[in-house]
Amino acid sequence: MHNQESTAAGRHAETAPAATDIRMETRKLSVFYGDTAGVNDVSLSMYNKKITALIGPSGCGKTTFLRSLNRMHDLTRGARVTGQALLDGSDIYAPKVDPVTVRRRVGMVFQKPTPFPTMSIYDNVVAGLKLVGIRNRAVLDEVAEKALRGAALWDEVKDRLKAPGGGISGGQQQRLSIARALAVEPEVLLMDEPTSSLDPQSTIRIEELMSELKKQVTIVIVTHNMQQASRISDYTAFFYVGDLVEFNPTAKMFTNPNQKRTEEYITGRFG
Amino acid sequence: MTAFNGNTTKTGSAALATPVLSLGRRYWRDRLMLGLLASSTILVLVPLFIVIAYVVVQGIGALNWDFFTQELGSPTRAHTGQPTGLVHTIIGTLVVDSMALIIAVPLGIGAGVMLAEYPDHRLNPLLRLLNDTLNGMPAILKGMLAFALIVKPMGTFSGLAGAVALTFVMLPIIARATESALDIIPWSIREAGLALGLPRWRVILSTIIPAAKVGLVTGILIAFARAAGEAAPLLFTSFGNNYLPSRWTGWLFGPVDTLPQRLYSLAISPYKQWHEMGWAAGIVLLVMVILLFITARVTVRRA
């Protein structure tokens, strides 16, 4: 399933990739809060080592959808998911699947940086490994450096790895959160508006980082920023009031969308 | 500048004019409220200082070397000027209170974690009910509970029974404090941990509890201070003892003296010397609690 050749198809973003390139896929996935559906019958494919952007006005269900991809709703009171979400072809909502295993493979970065407040930068990065019992110092050191380099943070913090994780700037904290997510080597990385609380420079750093990361991981990102979606993503999905309105390669989406509503939203006429 | 000349719209000039007029009033109102707050603070603190000062004045005369090194013995000792003191009471308090703390802290924190982190669990409403009941139960009843559970089966009053009674005092306070300390940790921290593929208990243990540490320690301190001052639950559990136990096991399995209960017995005794020793016991109890508070605060701040 870890298909290396799949990147070849991806170079031609206009041509639809083969089905084997699908890393995650939802089938008629709905999320209910009580009786109201936040996401309605969404079937969407996320391609291997590509960036899929989810766009749409506030309250359209894109974050709700994103959180259903690593079973984050399990802990939300009154939330219920129906339909399927397939990771490499198997349903993560199947009865015997442990959500902990799912989240190990599908990592997440949140809107606000979330360093663990009592841990050092180093401990934050290796938290996902250390807290499941990996204590080998050499292994942890290596993982920490690799993850911090991967998140383009190494040079800034390598001399103060023991400093508190909450003591660095907001942009650095967000890259720390990304490094922490990368350290457990997820196959899919979900990003929920990862740059919305950051200044333009930090935003650019993280966007550059994402283009690097997609060599290894599949990324699904929620963004409110149209330019960001068009700059970084390979595919774009437009959500509106819980429905998936349109899903297409980003280039097509931003030049010649199929749906009128997509065009209106992208050009800023509503939303 | 036009605003000051009144050349803007009607609402604009009104909005600007009002604060200019009322700034002075606001200033004085602010001062007034601050004054009121300061006086209520003083009103609360003054009785506290009066109590402390009175206890110290009454008891300081009885605080001598013998007080900290001798056991109490019979009243004739004090009458005839023989050496008498409360060393067995001070040690007994430390033993019983620490035992209670050792039992109550893990149980209380566990209950608090359950209340805060698993609100949807089936047993949660029952736990909350039990905790609230225990919290509202009169201290003397907690003593009776420990009497029924420990003293009766063992056939003797004991330090252990006293510790269990004090556990009932500490438990609901620690559980409640833990719950509120965990409640204020942002939900995002939990999600961040879960998103790393960590099990729920691991997230709680390694990220949430450390972040709530200050709140937890405060809760434990308050519970300890409360329990350390209770005499009622100890009256028929650890019971009291005028002498040092002959063997160390006596601290656990025999009747043990504690400061609040000894203070009570000294106070209702007919001997003047014992009254003074009762005040002195009050000083020791106060100092113990204050010292504990300071040490815990400093330790938490350092860590």
Side-chain angles (χ1 to χ4, degrees):
Chain A
M1 283 300 181
H2 299 249
N3 203 332
Q4 290 300 319
E5 295 88 336
S6 63
T7 43
R11 284 198 203 104
H12 318 283
E14 294 291 339
T15 58
T20 48
D21 291 334
I22 294 173
R23 199 56 194 262
M24 276 200 97
E25 179 186 10
T26 62
R27 289 185 187 159
K28 290 195 162 290
L29 184 106
S30 299
V31 184
F32 296 90
Y33 293 118
D35 290 332
T36 42
V39 168
N40 220 342
D41 269 351
V42 170
S43 300
L44 179 66
S45 301
M46 285 142 278
Y47 296 101
N48 194 25
K49 296 179 182 173
K50 295 284 170 231
I51 299 179
T52 305
L54 312 178
I55 61 168
S58 298
C60 70
K62 53 197 188 307
T63 293
T64 305
F65 177 78
L66 188 80
R67 292 165 60 88
S68 72
L69 298 179
N70 69 342
R71 296 193 53 170
M72 233 36 189
H73 291 302
D74 286 21
L75 290 143
T76 316
R77 212 188 286 195
R80 192 163 48 86
V81 178
T82 64
Q84 290 181 309
L86 308 178
L87 174 60
D88 289 338
S90 49
D91 186 8
I92 62 169
Y93 284 98
K96 279 187 183 158
V97 175
D98 181 1
V100 169
T101 334
V102 172
R103 296 187 195 119
R104 209 127 251 269
R105 298 175 61 193
V106 185
M108 191 163 193
V109 174
F110 300 87
Q111 190 171 353
K112 283 192 195 139
T114 49
F116 296 135
T118 53
M119 292 187 195
S120 66
I121 294 172
Y122 180 90
D123 284 337
N124 258 286
V125 179
V126 298
L129 299 169
K130 209 172 169 180
L131 299 184
V132 295
I134 298 170
R135 299 272 163 197
N136 186 325
R137 189 73 201 186
V139 171
L140 293 180
D141 282 351
E142 197 189 315
V143 168
E145 179 169 348
K146 193 176 157 210
L148 283 169
R149 281 191 193 280
L153 188 59
W154 175 253
D155 290 333
E156 290 159 60
V157 299
K158 63 175 182 232
D159 299 323
R160 45 178 176 144
L161 290 173
K162 292 287 160 230
I168 49 183
S169 79
Q172 290 173 327
Q173 285 185 22
Q174 190 63 310
R175 276 179 282 145
L176 178 60
S177 305
I178 294 173
R180 190 178 57 191
L182 291 177
V184 294
E185 298 192 323
E187 296 154 43
V188 181
L189 188 60
L190 310 175
M191 305 179 101
D192 187 3
E193 299 187 49
T195 61
S196 67
S197 62
L198 303 182
D199 63 87
Q201 264 188 322
S202 308
T203 302
I204 288 170
R205 298 217 61 168
I206 287 177
E207 286 185 8
E208 288 168 354
L209 178 59
M210 279 192 269
S211 326
E212 272 303 303
L213 288 179
K214 74 169 181 177
K215 289 173 188 163
Q216 285 132 41
V217 293
T218 305
I219 297 177
V220 186
I221 176 176
V222 165
T223 178
H224 267 292
N225 182 331
M226 290 307 110
Q227 283 80 34
Q228 184 170 66
S230 66
R231 272 196 303 266
I232 59 167
S233 71
D234 303 294
Y235 295 89
T236 302
F238 172 54
F239 281 74
Y240 186 63
V241 222
D243 294 320
L244 174 63
V245 175
E246 183 170 351
F247 173 65
N248 258 320
T250 300
K252 175 164 172 50
M253 198 80 158
F254 280 86
T255 51
N256 185 23
N258 292 337
Q259 300 286 324
K260 194 156 182 296
R261 268 189 300 178
T262 314
E263 192 190 338
E264 284 174 353
Y265 179 69
I266 286 169
T267 52
R269 258 173 278 167
F270 83 95
Chain B
M1 290 312 269
T2 48
F4 289 103
N5 300 330
N7 287 340
T8 48
T9 60
K10 226 172 179 183
T11 47
S13 61
L16 270 171
T18 327
V20 172
L21 273 177
S22 67
L23 268 183
R25 219 166 61 196
R26 278 193 198 181
Y27 175 78
W28 288 112
R29 205 184 286 168
D30 186 47
R31 296 296 297 244
L32 179 73
M33 291 310 292
L34 195 64
L36 284 175
L37 286 174
S39 17
S40 16
T41 311
I42 291 168
L43 214 64
V44 172
L45 287 179
V46 162
L48 178 69
F49 282 116
I50 292 177
V51 170
I52 294 178
Y54 196 71
V55 171
V56 171
V57 168
Q58 295 287 323
I60 198 86
L63 283 183
N64 47 36
W65 181 248
D66 281 352
F67 186 89
F68 294 102
T69 52
Q70 298 294 322
E71 55 186 14
L72 183 65
S74 72
T76 41
R77 281 210 205 177
H79 259 314
T80 54
Q82 282 175 288
T84 174
L86 292 180
V87 63
H88 65 299
T89 318
I90 295 168
I91 298 174
T93 309
L94 293 174
V95 169
V96 171
D97 289 2
S98 340
M99 260 199 290
L101 209 58
I102 289 168
I103 310 171
V105 166
L107 286 178
I109 289 184
V113 167
M114 178 83 185
L115 288 173
E117 300 290 326
Y118 298 94
D120 293 328
H121 195 279
R122 273 182 302 135
L123 292 177
N124 200 302
L126 181 69
L127 182 65
R128 192 173 295 278
L129 179 72
L130 284 176
N131 198 56
D132 288 349
T133 311
L134 201 56
N135 200 22
M137 187 190 270
I140 190 96
L141 287 182
K142 294 177 185 174
M144 284 175 71
L145 185 60
F147 179 87
L149 288 175
I150 312 282
V151 178
K152 271 294 251 177
M154 277 176 68
T156 170
F157 298 113
S158 65
L160 186 67
V164 170
L166 290 187
T167 298
F168 294 139
V169 177
M170 294 179 179
L171 254 182
I173 303 173
I174 296 178
R176 272 303 188 76
T178 302
E179 189 195 0
S180 28
L182 297 187
D183 268 345
I184 56 170
I185 305 300
W187 185 250
S188 57
I189 302 292
R190 293 171 180 83
E191 289 196 332
L194 293 171
L196 284 178
L198 297 174
R200 191 79 202 278
W201 65 268
R202 177 47 87 184
V203 174
I204 294 169
L205 202 66
S206 300
T207 68
I208 307 300
I209 288 182
K213 190 181 56 188
V214 175
L216 297 194
V217 171
T218 308
I220 293 168
L221 282 178
I222 290 171
F224 184 86
R226 170 78 183 279
E230 287 280 7
L234 300 173
L235 292 180
F236 30 75
T237 50
S238 59
F239 190 69
N241 194 337
N242 285 18
Y243 301 92
L244 282 161
S246 49
R247 275 188 300 163
W248 70 268
T249 47
W251 294 113
L252 303 181
F253 306 117
V256 172
D257 224 28
T258 52
L259 281 164
Q261 150 266 318
R262 175 51 56 192
L263 200 158
Y264 170 74
S265 343
L266 292 174
I268 59 169
S269 76
Y271 316 109
K272 191 172 166 292
Q273 293 90 339
W274 275 21
H275 293 170
E276 209 183 12
M277 286 177 81
W279 290 109
I283 300 178
V284 174
L285 194 55
L286 269 174
V287 170
M288 256 175 60
V289 170
I290 291 169
L291 272 184
L292 183 82
F293 261 77
I294 294 171
T295 344
R297 289 270 172 222
V298 171
T299 328
V300 169
R301 213 156 286 170
R302 286 242 180 91

mmCIF file of all heavy atoms in Angstrom, chain B residues 170 220-230 289 292-293:
data_model
loop_
_atom_site.group_PDB
_atom_site.id
_atom_site.type_symbol
_atom_site.label_atom_id
_atom_site.label_comp_id
_atom_site.label_asym_id
_atom_site.label_seq_id
_atom_site.Cartn_x
_atom_site.Cartn_y
_atom_site.Cartn_z
ATOM 1 N N MET B 170 -10.585 14.195 54.296
ATOM 2 C CA MET B 170 -9.762 14.702 53.189
ATOM 3 C C MET B 170 -10.318 14.348 51.810
ATOM 4 O O MET B 170 -10.273 15.168 50.886
ATOM 5 C CB MET B 170 -8.347 14.121 53.282
ATOM 6 C CG MET B 170 -7.546 14.566 54.480
ATOM 7 S SD MET B 170 -5.928 13.750 54.420
ATOM 8 C CE MET B 170 -5.153 14.420 55.879
ATOM 9 N N ILE B 220 -4.782 19.454 48.072
ATOM 10 C CA ILE B 220 -4.266 18.534 49.099
ATOM 11 C C ILE B 220 -3.962 19.297 50.386
ATOM 12 O O ILE B 220 -4.282 18.847 51.488
ATOM 13 C CB ILE B 220 -3.012 17.804 48.570
ATOM 14 C CG1 ILE B 220 -3.408 16.864 47.432
ATOM 15 C CG2 ILE B 220 -2.326 17.038 49.686
ATOM 16 C CD1 ILE B 220 -2.240 16.308 46.652
ATOM 17 N N LEU B 221 -3.372 20.493 50.234
ATOM 18 C CA LEU B 221 -3.045 21.309 51.408
ATOM 19 C C LEU B 221 -4.293 21.702 52.182
ATOM 20 O O LEU B 221 -4.346 21.608 53.408
ATOM 21 C CB LEU B 221 -2.308 22.577 50.970
ATOM 22 C CG LEU B 221 -0.848 22.424 50.623
ATOM 23 C CD1 LEU B 221 -0.285 23.754 50.163
ATOM 24 C CD2 LEU B 221 -0.078 21.918 51.831
ATOM 25 N N ILE B 222 -5.305 22.146 51.450
ATOM 26 C CA ILE B 222 -6.540 22.569 52.107
ATOM 27 C C ILE B 222 -7.158 21.382 52.843
ATOM 28 O O ILE B 222 -7.581 21.504 53.998
ATOM 29 C CB ILE B 222 -7.523 23.163 51.075
ATOM 30 C CG1 ILE B 222 -6.985 24.497 50.578
ATOM 31 C CG2 ILE B 222 -8.910 23.350 51.685
ATOM 32 C CD1 ILE B 222 -7.746 25.076 49.416
ATOM 33 N N ALA B 223 -7.149 20.225 52.172
ATOM 34 C CA ALA B 223 -7.704 19.028 52.797
ATOM 35 C C ALA B 223 -6.912 18.668 54.056
ATOM 36 O O ALA B 223 -7.484 18.332 55.096
ATOM 37 C CB ALA B 223 -7.679 17.867 51.803
ATOM 38 N N PHE B 224 -5.591 18.771 53.952
ATOM 39 C CA PHE B 224 -4.754 18.421 55.088
ATOM 40 C C PHE B 224 -4.989 19.368 56.263
ATOM 41 O O PHE B 224 -5.157 18.945 57.405
ATOM 42 C CB PHE B 224 -3.277 18.448 54.690
ATOM 43 C CG PHE B 224 -2.354 18.006 55.785
ATOM 44 C CD1 PHE B 224 -2.080 16.663 55.968
ATOM 45 C CD2 PHE B 224 -1.781 18.918 56.657
ATOM 46 C CE1 PHE B 224 -1.248 16.235 56.986
ATOM 47 C CE2 PHE B 224 -0.954 18.503 57.683
ATOM 48 C CZ PHE B 224 -0.682 17.156 57.844
ATOM 49 N N ALA B 225 -5.018 20.661 55.953
ATOM 50 C CA ALA B 225 -5.224 21.658 57.002
ATOM 51 C C ALA B 225 -6.557 21.421 57.702
ATOM 52 O O ALA B 225 -6.671 21.508 58.923
ATOM 53 C CB ALA B 225 -5.170 23.060 56.414
ATOM 54 N N ARG B 226 -7.559 21.112 56.903
ATOM 55 C CA ARG B 226 -8.885 20.864 57.450
ATOM 56 C C ARG B 226 -8.869 19.639 58.370
ATOM 57 O O ARG B 226 -9.349 19.685 59.505
ATOM 58 C CB ARG B 226 -9.839 20.657 56.277
ATOM 59 C CG ARG B 226 -11.191 20.153 56.615
ATOM 60 C CD ARG B 226 -12.068 21.259 57.167
ATOM 61 N NE ARG B 226 -13.346 20.673 57.539
ATOM 62 C CZ ARG B 226 -14.321 20.414 56.675
ATOM 63 N NH1 ARG B 226 -14.160 20.730 55.401
ATOM 64 N NH2 ARG B 226 -15.438 19.874 57.069
ATOM 65 N N ALA B 227 -8.249 18.551 57.883
ATOM 66 C CA ALA B 227 -8.234 17.313 58.653
ATOM 67 C C ALA B 227 -7.362 17.451 59.901
ATOM 68 O O ALA B 227 -7.699 16.930 60.969
ATOM 69 C CB ALA B 227 -7.734 16.163 57.783
ATOM 70 N N ALA B 228 -6.255 18.188 59.764
ATOM 71 C CA ALA B 228 -5.331 18.321 60.893
ATOM 72 C C ALA B 228 -5.995 19.037 62.063
ATOM 73 O O ALA B 228 -5.603 18.865 63.212
ATOM 74 C CB ALA B 228 -4.079 19.079 60.455
ATOM 75 N N GLY B 229 -7.008 19.847 61.781
ATOM 76 C CA GLY B 229 -7.672 20.600 62.833
ATOM 77 C C GLY B 229 -8.894 19.896 63.405
ATOM 78 O O GLY B 229 -9.518 20.405 64.338
ATOM 79 N N GLU B 230 -9.248 18.734 62.852
ATOM 80 C CA GLU B 230 -10.463 18.046 63.296
ATOM 81 C C GLU B 230 -10.219 17.239 64.568
ATOM 82 O O GLU B 230 -9.317 16.411 64.618
ATOM 83 C CB GLU B 230 -10.947 17.090 62.194
ATOM 84 C CG GLU B 230 -11.576 17.777 60.995
ATOM 85 C CD GLU B 230 -13.024 18.188 61.252
ATOM 86 O OE1 GLU B 230 -13.504 18.055 62.396
ATOM 87 O OE2 GLU B 230 -13.678 18.630 60.288
ATOM 88 N N VAL B 289 0.648 23.605 60.508
ATOM 89 C CA VAL B 289 -0.117 23.818 59.276
ATOM 90 C C VAL B 289 0.532 24.914 58.431
ATOM 91 O O VAL B 289 0.707 24.768 57.217
ATOM 92 C CB VAL B 289 -1.581 24.153 59.609
ATOM 93 C CG1 VAL B 289 -2.319 24.610 58.357
ATOM 94 C CG2 VAL B 289 -2.278 22.952 60.221
ATOM 95 N N LEU B 292 3.691 23.684 56.788
ATOM 96 C CA LEU B 292 3.379 22.790 55.680
ATOM 97 C C LEU B 292 2.980 23.588 54.441
ATOM 98 O O LEU B 292 3.431 23.317 53.326
ATOM 99 C CB LEU B 292 2.255 21.833 56.073
ATOM 100 C CG LEU B 292 1.917 20.827 54.991
ATOM 101 C CD1 LEU B 292 2.881 19.660 55.044
ATOM 102 C CD2 LEU B 292 0.496 20.347 55.098
ATOM 103 N N PHE B 293 2.152 24.600 54.652
ATOM 104 C CA PHE B 293 1.716 25.439 53.540
ATOM 105 C C PHE B 293 2.906 26.087 52.846
ATOM 106 O O PHE B 293 3.023 26.056 51.627
ATOM 107 C CB PHE B 293 0.758 26.529 54.042
ATOM 108 C CG PHE B 293 -0.684 26.177 53.826
ATOM 109 C CD1 PHE B 293 -1.322 25.263 54.652
ATOM 110 C CD2 PHE B 293 -1.400 26.748 52.792
ATOM 111 C CE1 PHE B 293 -2.636 24.919 54.462
ATOM 112 C CE2 PHE B 293 -2.723 26.406 52.593
ATOM 113 C CZ PHE B 293 -3.349 25.492 53.427
#
